[in-house]
Amino acid sequence: MKRNVIGIILIISMTAALAVGCSGKEESGNRTGDTTGEENTAGITFMAPDWAIPTEDQLKAFTDETGIEVVVNEVGWDDIRDKLVTAAAGGQAVADVVEVDWSWVGEFYAADWLEPLEVSDEVKADMPTLETFTKDGNVLAIPYANDYRLSYYNTKQYEDAGISKEPQTWDEVYQNCKTLKEKGVCEYPFALPLNAEEKTSTYLMWLAYTMNGIVFNDDGTLNKDSVLAALKYEENLIKDELVDPADKTSSGMDVYKRILSGSANFLTGPTSFVSKSTNKDECSVIGEITPILVPGKDAKATVTMALPEALGVTKFSENKDEAKKFIEWYTSADMQEKLNETNTAIPTRNSVLKKLIGDGKIQNAGAMMEAAELIASPFPDGIPAYYSEMSNSIYNAVNKMALGEMTADEAYEEMEAKVAGLAAE
């Protein structure tokens, strides 16, 4: 009887081992290049979300050119950071090349999880968003998808309300929104994320940045004059009912999309809304939305904030040279043009963006090119390692203000105390 029990245990153990092995294969993602099961003599692994995955033909062209095969691991954006952190904590490479969001840079640099990359002065001049991925002079990742702030407004609604000029300042935007509401043209003209989420934090940052040219002091603390002025601007929009009450609890993307239906007149948001505004499946007011430079305090803003995505080489990679060649290929001018066509990625090279706009491949571009030349970072010393905690404190305070639980002054005091504490650590 004892021998039978042992036999059963062994069978169960073997079955479990097989199950784990099969599960591991499923999580490893899709493999391109050599699919025979034999070990690659020259190959890398690439972990990224679905929108960053090149086509099979593009990957084959890279392999044919370099002899480097690519194993693709398509992972949801929200899971990439957690997987990288878990692997790095154990001294392992989650992949050779990995997605790097702009908000992760400080944390990854502090933990020494990314390999510094060499970038020529020519590329730096053509790719302003590199600044976002640079810490202490070290380039930690190369941006592949641009996402900087543009403003958008519905020109037909302006005409219907008798407003003849494009807004130049934030004050003009505010007054025009009041006119639109008073004349019954648009009930809630200003699209403003206010929910307790990341987009609420970043909106406050770029509002303060474009309004006053500063968000953080050199020591990492909040600049009171600038941030408080931006908070009070948002508070007044809410009090005057220029913002849809639903914006307080809706996702940031749903708030942005109000301009595509005409329920909002004005938006400062992602560059992706250039293409969304001409897509009949997404926009019901095609031909009415114009992308413009972000307003400023006394005239148009002289800076705009970018929230790009990039590719980096993990510190524990055993194929660093091959990984760097892949990133160089992926972010080249030729590939940026191709990835715009196949993946709708906005180029991070201004030269490529200018070409696509000139060729008419990006339609209704408006001030898109002009704004790309104004990209700058509001962080004096790059993205801080505590960015996630800081953002959490900012969006929670803004949400409390939106819900009437705090005034703008009280919201500022709450976030300032947290940010000051984080900066001092």
Side-chain angles (χ1 to χ4, degrees), residues 3 6-7 45 82 122 131 177 190 248 326:
R3 291 178 64 183
I6 293 173
T45 52
D82 292 341
E122 181 182 1
E131 183 182 356
C177 283
F190 199 106
K248 300 174 186 180
F326 177 80

Side-chain angles (χ1 to χ4, degrees), residues 153-163 180 185 265 285-290:
Y153 79 112
N154 187 306
T155 53
K156 184 179 183 301
Q157 290 180 351
Y158 262 45
E159 291 172 6
D160 292 344
I163 305 171
L180 288 161
V185 175
N265 171 272
V285 289
I286 290 176
E288 298 178 15
I289 300 172
T290 298

Side-chain angles (χ1 to χ4, degrees), residues 58-138:
Q58 289 167 347
L59 289 168
K60 182 178 183 302
F62 171 74
T63 300
D64 290 345
E65 178 185 336
T66 64
I68 301 169
E69 294 176 350
V70 182
V71 176
V72 173
N73 191 356
E74 183 181 313
V75 175
W77 184 90
D78 290 333
D79 297 325
I80 292 175
R81 178 188 169 279
D82 292 341
K83 288 180 178 291
L84 188 147
V85 170
T86 301
Q92 301 294 317
V94 71
D96 298 302
V97 177
V98 68
E99 162 90 5
V100 180
D101 185 68
W102 71 276
S103 63
W104 304 341
V105 175
E107 176 189 6
F108 288 8
Y109 178 64
D112 196 25
W113 288 336
L114 295 173
E115 184 75 8
L117 303 174
E118 295 293 329
V119 181
S120 69
D121 290 340
E122 181 182 1
V123 172
K124 289 179 180 178
D126 196 30
M127 199 180 285
T129 44
L130 267 173
E131 183 182 356
T132 303
F133 299 93
T134 303
K135 287 282 289 184
D136 297 331
N138 296 293

Side-chain angles (χ1 to χ4, degrees), residues 174-235:
Y174 187 87
Q175 294 303 324
N176 290 346
C177 283
K178 289 185 70 174
T179 299
L180 288 161
K181 185 177 183 70
E182 289 167 359
K183 294 193 174 184
V185 175
C186 186
E187 185 176 10
Y188 301 115
F190 199 106
L192 179 63
L194 293 168
N195 197 6
E197 62 163 77
E198 173 73 10
K199 287 181 175 60
T200 298
S201 301
T202 51
Y203 200 104
L204 181 67
M205 289 179 199
W206 71 62
L207 178 58
Y209 195 38
T210 57
M211 183 181 286
N212 303 300
I214 187 171
V215 183
F216 302 97
N217 300 315
D218 289 341
D219 61 359
T221 59
L222 294 173
N223 184 280
K224 183 175 182 178
D225 289 343
S226 180
V227 175
L228 185 55
L231 269 172
K232 288 188 174 182
Y233 186 88
E234 293 189 351
E235 183 180 45

Side-chain angles (χ1 to χ4, degrees), residues 46 48-59 62 99 127 142-146 275 309-311 326-349 352-353 356 361-362:
F46 173 41
D50 57 356
W51 60 77
I53 306 301
T55 66
E56 290 288 332
D57 288 343
Q58 289 167 347
L59 289 168
F62 171 74
E99 162 90 5
M127 199 180 285
I142 310 295
Y144 69 85
N146 225 339
S275 59
E309 296 172 75
L311 298 183
F326 177 80
I327 292 178
E328 182 179 0
W329 166 80
Y330 189 102
T331 59
S332 67
D334 181 57
M335 272 303 293
Q336 288 213 342
E337 188 168 351
K338 291 176 180 176
L339 288 170
N340 174 260
E341 181 178 353
T342 59
N343 298 33
T344 67
I346 302 296
T348 55
R349 290 174 179 263
V352 178
L353 181 61
L356 292 176
K361 292 182 179 179
I362 295 179

